[in-house]
């Protein structure tokens, strides 16, 4: 699934500056090709999470156009807007957002139940997905009985079970310890390849971006500083800002 | 003990009304809360303020207002039908059980609305976002994710409405009693009015049963609210709003229209009717300031009632705030100073306050009456202090629930620093505790002052000649068919409570 962003702008009416409302995203042009792993890299407040939420459909941009596989999911000019539940995009949230009142199985089965799949198909797909994320045997547990890493895998399984073409990840590794981060990075990469997904990860960590991504987009104050492969961004940073980010200064 | 038919009817009516009120309030509150917290309904913040307003009003004001509008003889809605459409006879009659359910439903609806709305505000938005990303539309998200997570909050609020309805006196007294439809509170009142000691003891027995019932529900409510999972989102993003699209303006019209019908219409009629000089036909000539002049200058007992109301409410508020501060500090010391006995003491106080709050006012008043009958030397009967005692006992919980959480935010180091600087206990109290807790103390004071100012349920049983407060005076005027004067006093109370509520909002607003 290819994603195209054209002249996307977002501002909040409440936060105004001397020249009008401060733009969180400033006329961004981006293209995400099918089957690649992209990273949105930048410090807090640079607009990366806002961009992700706009792609998901959870927030709405003020100007611009968003199309997946050529179909416009958002177009400010024509007021076209496809609500998030119709976009078939998988999303993993920073705090996992695993529902506490459902078991692991029910959490992962939810997207399939919504689509009214037959019961035996649900059971088969959910159990297979739980095995894939190495949670086999924990299907009947409740979220509060799981560790952080396990909860994240539930979130991942839930996002993937609906077979999305696009997977969005909002700082999924920030709450994990260094060892687990390493493991999860490898697993994310494997899953992305296995399911042939286009993936976009939002992170402020260069290690995540460089080890996971085929391409890195560095954002600053709503602008794109650089859009290139991790090696290119590291060896030929477009600005001092980018250089500092890649050196974790 | 055989229960006479009179009491059987009273119990039945109480149950029917309570269930009806709970259903009405519960069904209205949820769609409203959802529309105001999760959609882009126009004017939702103003509408929320309007819907919360009846919270500060005594429900009997709405009863008076609806009598103005819908009594079968000269009710305005009936008069309008006659004058505009030539319709003879009354098309709407507020008297009766249905009228009680309707009025109490609208008066108690804010309890569920405020609670459910707060729950929606606290809920971690990513839980709902994740459901939408999984393919669920807004209504499905609500049924499958939001509602199950708020189930306990909702049930606890419904129980609060149920208890409030069972304990309610003013509305059934004005709307039910004229048609001889009694509920337990009004039946107990008529029993006590008989005056005999036998009647008093019978009343006490019956109210004891009522109290046990109330206590059971409170325990249930505590159990429900304890199991609240940590659903508070520590996130910066607010919940995604559902765009109503084509439904936006129809929904707005409906929501605003219904709110206007249930709140603005009766309260507006109440205020207007205070200016009505002659009841009967509706025309501009029948309006004037006559009744206002009469009430303010001539009405016997008005000045005294104002004084009694202000005095008892202020004193009760002061006592509650002082006691709450003391208990809060005890609880705080018990927790941070690891003193088990102090902690238990505070917990007992909390429990007793909770018990007293959920006990119907009629029962509390009867307990006090019985105590004073049994121990005449300590009797406060016929003094205005009797009201103060009843108010303090009843509303203690409001003070504790406001001051205690604020006290727990005070870090021990602040108090330790004071001690190391040489401050003794009194200095610490005066210079550290009170200034730090001032918003909570003021808030608690207002929270107690407002219901006490307009209180009726306990005052009607505890007052003596000369110690009637505004609620009792209003009730007497309504009973003896001086409805216009009652409307004047009702309007005064309405405006006073509105003003105090406004001030309270300013004081307790987060900077």
């Amino acid at each position: 699934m290819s994603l195209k962003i054209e002249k996307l702008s977002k501002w909040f009416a409440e936060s105004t500056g001397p020249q009008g409302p401060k733009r969180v995203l400033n006329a961004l042009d981006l293209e995400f090709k099918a089957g690649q792993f992209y990273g949105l890299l930048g410090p807090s407040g640079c607009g990366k999470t806002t961009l992700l939420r706009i792609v998901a459909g959870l927030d709405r941009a003020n100007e611009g156009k968003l199309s997946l596989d050529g179909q416009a999911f958002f177009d400010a000019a024509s007021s076209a807007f496809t609500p998030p539940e119709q976009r078939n995009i998988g999303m993993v949230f920073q705090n996992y957002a695993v529902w506490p009142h459902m078991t692991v199985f029910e959490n992962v089965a939810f997207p399939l139940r919504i689509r009214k799949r037959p019961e035996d198909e649900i059971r088969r797909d959910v159990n297979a997905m739980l095995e894939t994320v190495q949670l086999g045997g924990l299907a009947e547990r409740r979220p509060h009985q799981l560790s952080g890493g396990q909860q994240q895998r539930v979130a991942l399984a839930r996002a993937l079970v609906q077979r999305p073409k696009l997977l969005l990840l909002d700082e999924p590794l920030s709450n994990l310890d260094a060892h687990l981060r390493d493991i999860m990075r490898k697993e994310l990469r494997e899953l992305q390849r296995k399911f042939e997904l286009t993936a976009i990860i939002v992170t402020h960590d260069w290690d995540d971006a460089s080890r996971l991504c085929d391409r890195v987009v560095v954002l600053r104050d709503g602008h794109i500083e650089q859009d290139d492969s991790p090696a290119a961004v590291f060896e030929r940073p477009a600005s001092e800002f980018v250089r500092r980010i890649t050196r974790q200064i | 003990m055989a229960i006479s038919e009179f009491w059987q009817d009273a119990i039945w009516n109480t149950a029917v009304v309570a269930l009806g009120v709970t259903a009405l309030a519960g069904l209205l509150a949820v769609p409203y809360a959802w529309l105001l917290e999760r959609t882009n309904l126009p004017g939702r913040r103003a509408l929320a303020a309007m819907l919360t307003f009846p919270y500060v009003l005594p429900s009997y004001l709405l009863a008076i207002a609806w009598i103005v509008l819908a009594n079968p003889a000269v009710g305005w809605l009936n008069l309008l039908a006659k004058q505009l459409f030539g319709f003879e006879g009354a098309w709407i009659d507020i008297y009766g059980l249905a009228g009680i359910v309707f009025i109490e439903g609208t008066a108690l609806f804010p309890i569920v609305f405020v609670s459910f709305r707060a729950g929606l505000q606290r809920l971690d938005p990513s839980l709902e976002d994740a459901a939408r990303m999984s393919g669920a539309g807004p209504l499905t998200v609500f049924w499958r994710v939001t509602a199950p997570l708020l189930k306990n909050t909702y049930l606890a609020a419904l129980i609060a409405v149920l208890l409030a309805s069972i304990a309610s006196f003013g509305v059934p007294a004005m709307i039910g009693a004229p048609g001889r439809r009694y509920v337990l509170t009004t039946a107990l009142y008529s029993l006590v009015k008989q005056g005999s000691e036998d009647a008093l003891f019978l009343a006490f027995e019956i109210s004891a049963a009522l109290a046990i019932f109330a206590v059971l529900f409170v325990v249930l409510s505590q159990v429900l609210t304890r199991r609240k999972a940590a659903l508070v989102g520590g996130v910066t993003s607010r919940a995604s709003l559902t765009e109503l699209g084509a439904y936006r303006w129809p929904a707005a019209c409906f929501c605003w229209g219904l709110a206007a019908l249930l709140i603005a219409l009766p309260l507006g009629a109440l205020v207007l009717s205070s200016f009505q000089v002659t009841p009967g036909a509706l025309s501009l000539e029948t309006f004037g300031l006559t009744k206002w002049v009469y009430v303010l200058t001539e009405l016997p007992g008005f000045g005294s009632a104002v004084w009694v109301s202000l005095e008892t409410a202020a004193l009760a508020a002061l006592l509650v705030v002082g006691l709450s501060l003391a208990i809060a500090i005890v609880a705080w010391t018990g927790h941070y100073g690891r003193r088990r006995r102090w902690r238990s003491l505070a917990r007992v106080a909390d429990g007793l306050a909770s018990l007293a709050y959920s006990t119907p006012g009629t029962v509390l008043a009867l307990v006090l009456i019985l105590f004073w009958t049994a121990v005449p030397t300590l009797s406060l009967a016929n003094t205005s202090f009797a009201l103060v005692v009843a108010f303090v006992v009843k509303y203690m919980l409001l003070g504790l629930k406001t001051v205690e959480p604020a006290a727990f935010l005070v870090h021990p180091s602040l108090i330790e620093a004071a001690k190391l600087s040489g401050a003794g206990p009194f200095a610490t109290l005066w210079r550290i505790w009170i200034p730090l807790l001032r918003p909570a103390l003021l808030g608690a004071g207002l929270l107690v002052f407002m219901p006490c100012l307009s209180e009726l349920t306990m005052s009607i049983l505890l007052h003596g000649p000369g110690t009637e407060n505004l609620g009792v005076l209003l009730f007497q005027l309504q009973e003896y068919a001086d409805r216009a004067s009652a409307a004047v006093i009702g309007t005064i109370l309405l405006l006073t409570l509105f003003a105090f509520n406004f001030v309270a909002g300013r004081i307790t607003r987060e900077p």
Side-chain angles (χ1 to χ4, degrees), chain A residues 12 14 53 56 58-60 83-85 89-91 93 95 97-102 110-111 113-115 158 162 168, chain B residues 124 126-138 140 144-145 148-149 229 231 235 237-241 243:
Chain A
F12 290 106
E14 301 95 56
R53 287 176 66 86
L58 295 169
D59 282 337
R60 225 165 146 154
E85 59 269 18
I89 296 177
M91 185 159 175
F93 293 81
N95 65 348
V98 178
W99 299 305
H101 62 295
M102 298 186 205
F110 187 87
R113 289 207 194 284
I114 296 291
R115 290 161 173 81
R158 180 180 63 192
Q162 65 196 38
L168 304 176
Chain B
D124 184 353
S126 64
L127 293 172
E128 294 177 351
D129 287 343
R132 297 201 72 185
M133 297 314 298
S134 303
T140 312
R144 301 276 207 122
V145 176
L149 289 171
L231 301 169
V235 284
S237 63
R238 29 205 155 136
S240 312
L241 295 180
E243 312 244 330

Side-chain angles (χ1 to χ4, degrees), chain B residues 442-461:
Chain B
L442 278 173
L446 282 167
L447 209 56
V448 172
F449 182 79
M450 290 195 294
C452 290
L453 194 66
S454 58
E455 214 277 336
L456 171 65
T457 308
M458 296 186 285
S459 316
I460 197 73
L461 289 168

Side-chain angles (χ1 to χ4, degrees), chain A residues 85-96:
Chain A
E85 59 269 18
Q86 290 173 20
R87 296 192 182 193
N88 197 28
I89 296 177
M91 185 159 175
V92 178
F93 293 81
Q94 187 171 6
N95 65 348
Y96 320 135

Side-chain angles (χ1 to χ4, degrees), chain B residues 113-137:
Chain B
F113 173 71
V114 167
S115 173
F116 200 74
R117 186 171 171 238
L120 284 175
Q121 287 169 341
R122 270 193 325 253
L123 201 59
D124 184 353
S126 64
L127 293 172
E128 294 177 351
D129 287 343
R132 297 201 72 185
M133 297 314 298
S134 303

Side-chain angles (χ1 to χ4, degrees), chain B residues 10-24:
Chain B
I11 293 173
W12 176 251
N13 291 339
T14 307
V16 165
V17 165
L19 288 173
V21 169
T22 308
L24 184 62

Side-chain angles (χ1 to χ4, degrees), chain B residues 34-273:
Chain B
W34 185 77
L35 282 166
L36 266 61
E37 267 312 303
R38 286 289 189 269
T39 70
N40 60 345
L41 192 82
R44 52 189 182 275
R45 214 165 295 171
L47 188 56
M50 186 176 172
L51 291 171
T52 315
F53 184 52
Y55 214 25
V56 312
L57 298 179
S59 48
Y60 61 73
L61 281 185
L62 279 171
I64 296 176
W66 278 107
I67 289 175
V68 166
L69 283 171
N71 76 71
V74 289
W76 291 6
L77 294 175
N78 292 319
L79 285 180
L80 275 174
K82 197 184 292 183
Q83 284 175 216
L84 292 177
F85 308 120
F87 186 73
E88 290 296 327
W91 68 275
I92 186 171
D93 180 0
I94 194 68
Y95 291 107
L97 286 188
I100 300 178
V101 170
F102 173 69
I103 296 176
E104 277 185 19
T106 49
L108 297 176
F109 146 92
I111 294 179
V112 190
F113 173 71
V114 167
S115 173
F116 200 74
R117 186 171 171 238
L120 284 175
Q121 287 169 341
R122 270 193 325 253
L123 201 59
D124 184 353
S126 64
L127 293 172
E128 294 177 351
D129 287 343
R132 297 201 72 185
M133 297 314 298
S134 303
L139 286 175
T140 312
V141 170
F142 182 76
W143 282 121
R144 301 276 207 122
V145 176
T146 317
L149 289 171
L150 291 177
K151 189 180 60 184
N152 285 353
T153 309
Y154 183 61
L155 284 175
L158 287 184
I159 289 177
V161 170
L162 194 76
L163 285 175
S165 172
I166 292 175
S168 154
F169 173 79
V171 176
M174 292 182 188
I175 306 283
R180 318 217 108 249
R181 303 287 258 160
Y182 292 95
V183 297
L184 281 169
T185 49
T186 47
L188 283 169
Y189 171 67
S190 64
L191 191 61
V192 171
K193 254 196 345 186
Q194 287 173 21
S196 70
E197 232 176 58
D198 280 346
L200 199 59
F201 279 114
L202 178 61
F204 184 67
E205 278 175 12
I206 292 167
S207 50
L210 192 57
I212 292 174
F213 197 52
V215 166
L216 281 175
F217 271 115
V218 168
V219 169
L220 181 63
S221 170
Q222 298 278 44
V223 167
L224 281 172
T225 48
R226 200 164 293 155
R227 284 209 213 120
K228 214 183 292 184
L231 301 169
V232 183
V235 284
T236 47
S237 63
R238 29 205 155 136
S240 312
L241 295 180
T242 303
E243 312 244 330
L244 290 170
Y247 294 114
R248 195 169 185 230
W249 289 105
C253 286
F254 182 75
C255 289
W256 276 99
L258 191 63
L261 199 69
L262 296 178
I263 298 174
L265 175 66
L267 293 181
L270 176 68
V271 174
L272 266 181
S273 76

